[in-house]
Every structure is written in C-alpha cells, then in structure tokens.
C-alpha cells in the first residue's frame, strides 16, 4: 500500500512568468529560501522554496513516510477577487505549468485550479485540464460571492467533474474574510473578531457541516451520482454527529412537510451519501478510532498541510502520530493513510 498525503500546498512561482496580464503581481526574493508575492503592491503571501521545489518535497516525504503528495494550489494567491481576465489567465498558466512540471513525476498528484466567478471560463478550463492535460482533480476555495457549493450556478462545473469522475477538493482560506462571503462562518467579518484564529479552529468544520447538508438536501448529490468531494483541515470527528443528525431530521414531520412543499425527495438516507464525502483527518485527533468505528465504511483520508506552519499542520510526524493512535486498527490506519485516497482519485467504475 502506498501512503498518500492528501493536503500539501503547491505554488511554483515560475508559472507567473507565463501570465501576460499586467495586474498579475510580482515575486520579490527575500533570501535564498524565501520569496514574497505582491499584487497591487500588497503583500499576498510569503513562500519557502519547498512550496515548489520537488526535490526538497521528496526529501521531506521520505523523512515523513509518505509515498505520494497531492499538490493543492495554494489558497491566498488564488482567491476569487480578481477580474475575469486575470483569474482565467492565472488558472491557465498555473495548470499548464503544473502539468508540464509533474508529467514524469509519479510521486505527485497534480490538482487544477479554476476561476469560479466566470463559470463559463471555469467549465472550459476544467474540461481542458482533464482532457488535454490529464489532471485528475480540481480544487475550489468553497463557494464564491453569495453562493454555496450546492447553488445551481455550480452545476455546470459539476457536470464536467461528474462525467469524468474527477473529485472536487474543497479547501477554504481561513484568513481571507473579505473575499469569501459565501462561507457561513465568514458572513460578517466581525463574527470571530477579535479572535480571528477561531476561523481556523472551528470555521472549517462549521462550514463543511453546512455545505454537506446543503449538497445532500438540495438534490445535488442525486443529480450527479458519480461526483465526489474531499474536505481539508477541518478534522473528521464531527462526521458521525452530522450523519446521525441528518438521518434523525428526515424522521421528523417537518421534513415530510418540506418534501411535500418543495417537491424534493432524497434517493437515499442522508448518512448513505457519505460514501462520496472524503474528509481529511488530523493525525492528533485522539477520538479518531471512535470516528472510524462510528462511520461505517468510512472515507477518512489524511493530510499534513505541508509545508505550512499553521496549527493544523502535522508534518513531519503525521504518519508516526497516526500509527501510534490508541485503538485505531491496522486496517483503518491503512485506509486513512492511502487506500481511501486511492479510491478518491481513481477513475475506475
């Protein structure tokens, strides 16, 4: 079995050279190991060379115990605040560069990025990355503007992903309050003020519970029966609670009244849709064994958040931490460390 790190961040600065748009921003070198990315003379983010240097990443993987990394496009440089021309140009250049850089690399899984506010352009770009570049996953930063992921405006993108059996990787950007009003925990930037760190601590799982519930009850999962989603950096301990809560809700008379009024009828019990929701665990969750037991046929995966230094990051001890968790069976360890991820990225069936 190959071990797969499903949450690592990738931002090869050289791709920016291929973006012709005048407002693309610039890279300034800080030292031999660090650069800074500016747009409109505003610092967007600083990057270590490990964010794109594949040899350094391989050394870290060998030390950590991972065979494969999933390379998720970095968050903050890729928010949805750009104009359509720049957003689409950034997406095309990033995807082209990634496909070329990783073409002969068997230890990395490339992930495409699309600019959601221009849905026509996003659909064209996702189709191109799948059919022409061979990229097998796409990342979104949650919804955009006032839309959550179940909004019908997202469905053209889902049609492409569903047809090609390409998973949607959901990874919000915790500190970009003003750019992601679709996220329920971000509506009103003062929700977590003055404790903005809480956006990382509880914002992601709150968002994911809301989003998954909407994806199920909106009928999105029924409409796209081969569509799979993965969620990162929110832990997984909340999944059994949500499965139970949603099943219980369908047994209440208010749900029957809603079905009658809306005309919507689920094809399965809410908990049964969780065979298509893959949720990344944090290796230090002490209740992980209980979560795996309660979530029958679970779809738990693992991510180290390489090479971030966020509180959620667990490299370089993710694998060893997981292997030492009390009560977690060897078979569940194998599923979390690789087998479930292999299913997530497989196109078979």
């Amino acid at each position: 079995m190959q071990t797969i790190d499903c949450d690592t961040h990738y931002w090869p600065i050289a791709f920016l050279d291929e973006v012709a748009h005048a407002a693309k921003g610039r890279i300034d070198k800080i030292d031999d190991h660090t650069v800074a990315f500016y747009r409109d003379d505003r610092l967007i983010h600083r990057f270590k060379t490990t964010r794109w240097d594949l040899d350094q990443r391989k050394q870290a993987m060998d030390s950590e115990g991972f065979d494969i990394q999933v390379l998720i496009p970095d968050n903050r440089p890729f928010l949805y605040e750009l104009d359509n021309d720049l957003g689409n140009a950034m997406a095309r250049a990033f995807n082209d560069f990634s496909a070329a850089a990783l073409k002969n690399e068997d230890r990395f899984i490339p992930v495409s990025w699309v600019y959601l506010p221009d849905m026509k352009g996003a659909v064209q770009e996702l189709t191109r990355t799948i059919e022409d570049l061979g990229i097998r996953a796409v990342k979104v930063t949650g919804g955009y503007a006032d839309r959550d992921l179940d909004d019908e405006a997202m469905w053209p993108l889902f049609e492409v992903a569903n047809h090609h059996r390409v998973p949607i990787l959901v990874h919000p950007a915790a500190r970009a309050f003003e750019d992601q009003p679709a996220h329920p925990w971000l509506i009103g930037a003062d929700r977590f003020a003055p404790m903005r760190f809480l956006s990382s601590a509880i914002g992601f799982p709150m968002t994911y519970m809301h989003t998954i519930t909407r994806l199920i009850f909106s009928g999105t999962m029924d409409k796209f029966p081969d569509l799979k989603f993965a969620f990162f950096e929110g832990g997984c301990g909340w999944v059994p609670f949500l499965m139970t809560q949603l099943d219980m809700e369908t047994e209440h008379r208010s749900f029957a009244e809603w079905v009658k009024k809306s005309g919507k009828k689920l094809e399965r019990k809410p908990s049964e849709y969780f065979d298509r929701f893959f949720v990344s665990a944090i290796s230090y969750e002490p209740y992980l064994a209980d979560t795996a037991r309660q979530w029958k046929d679970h779809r738990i995966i693992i991510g180290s958040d390489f090479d971030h230094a966020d509180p959620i990051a667990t490299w370089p001890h993710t694998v060893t931490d997981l292997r030492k968790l009390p009560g977690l069976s060897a078979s569940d360890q194998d599923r979390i460390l690789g087998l479930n991820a292999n299913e997530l990225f497989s196109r078979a069936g």
Side-chain angles (χ1 to χ4, degrees), residues 1-32:
M1 182 204 75
Q2 291 183 310
T3 52
I4 303 176
D5 188 347
C6 293
D7 183 21
T8 79
H9 294 272
Y10 180 60
W11 211 73
I13 58 173
F15 94 89
L16 206 63
D17 295 337
E18 307 304 317
V19 180
H21 199 289
K24 66 182 180 181
R26 73 177 193 273
I27 299 291
D28 286 356
K29 182 178 178 179
I30 297 177
D31 56 41
D32 290 340

Side-chain angles (χ1 to χ4, degrees), residues 172-220:
R175 295 170 181 83
F177 292 86
E178 68 279 8
D179 295 321
Q180 298 183 96
H183 297 167
W185 51 281
L186 292 177
I187 295 174
D190 60 347
R191 171 163 289 190
F192 288 133
M195 296 179 286
R196 292 183 65 172
F197 65 91
L198 290 180
S199 63
S200 296
I202 63 175
F204 282 20
M206 287 172 62
T207 296
Y208 295 156
M209 285 190 283
H210 180 92
T211 296
I212 287 173
T213 300
R214 294 182 63 98
L215 285 169
I216 293 171
F217 285 103
S218 67
T220 302

Side-chain angles (χ1 to χ4, degrees), residues 223-271:
K223 183 174 179 62
F224 304 104
D226 292 315
L227 193 59
K228 295 180 287 190
F229 290 87
F231 301 90
F232 299 95
E233 295 191 23
C236 65
W238 48 269
V239 174
F241 158 78
L242 185 61
M243 294 170 69
T244 301
Q245 193 77 359
L246 298 185
D247 281 353
M248 290 175 58
E249 187 65 30
T250 61
E251 298 173 1
H252 195 273
R253 69 174 183 272
S254 62
F255 176 75
E257 293 170 356
W258 175 80
V259 170
K260 184 177 180 179
K261 183 177 180 179
S262 67
K264 297 180 182 294
K265 185 177 181 180
L266 299 183
E267 295 179 3
R268 311 165 71 189
K269 290 176 58 176
S271 60

Side-chain angles (χ1 to χ4, degrees), residues 48-220:
K48 297 291 186 181
T49 54
T50 43
R51 198 62 58 93
W52 65 84
D53 188 305
L54 299 183
D55 289 334
Q56 291 185 56
R57 296 179 80 101
K58 290 175 185 176
Q59 293 175 14
M61 293 162 67
D62 291 340
S63 175
E64 170 95 42
F66 279 115
D67 300 308
I68 295 172
Q69 281 187 346
V70 179
L71 304 186
I72 295 179
D74 212 87
N75 277 324
R76 270 161 269 178
F78 277 145
L79 295 174
Y80 299 134
E81 83 278 19
L82 312 177
D83 67 59
N84 287 355
D85 289 343
L86 177 55
N88 288 323
M90 293 276 283
R92 287 191 298 269
F94 176 87
N95 295 332
D96 284 341
F97 189 97
S98 296
L102 304 172
K103 183 176 180 179
N104 298 314
E105 296 285 349
D106 60 3
R107 297 192 67 181
F108 302 104
I109 296 176
V111 178
S112 67
W113 184 79
V114 295
Y115 189 67
L116 289 184
D118 179 12
M119 184 53 65
K120 181 178 179 181
V123 168
Q124 292 174 346
E125 181 61 12
L126 179 57
T127 303
R128 186 183 76 91
T129 61
I130 297 169
E131 297 181 353
D132 297 345
L133 303 182
I135 299 179
R136 57 200 269 191
V138 60
K139 173 260 181 114
V140 299
T141 313
Y144 68 96
D146 61 349
R147 298 176 172 91
D148 212 313
L149 286 181
D150 68 297
D151 194 289
E152 291 188 16
M154 296 293 300
W155 287 9
L157 194 77
F158 294 166
E159 288 178 1
V160 176
N162 182 74
H163 175 72
H164 291 281
R165 294 181 172 85
V166 166
I168 307 288
L169 310 187
V170 185
H171 195 312
R175 295 170 181 83
F177 292 86
E178 68 279 8
D179 295 321
Q180 298 183 96
H183 297 167
W185 51 281
L186 292 177
I187 295 174
D190 60 347
R191 171 163 289 190
F192 288 133
M195 296 179 286
R196 292 183 65 172
F197 65 91
L198 290 180
S199 63
S200 296
I202 63 175
F204 282 20
M206 287 172 62
T207 296
Y208 295 156
M209 285 190 283
H210 180 92
T211 296
I212 287 173
T213 300
R214 294 182 63 98
L215 285 169
I216 293 171
F217 285 103
S218 67
T220 302

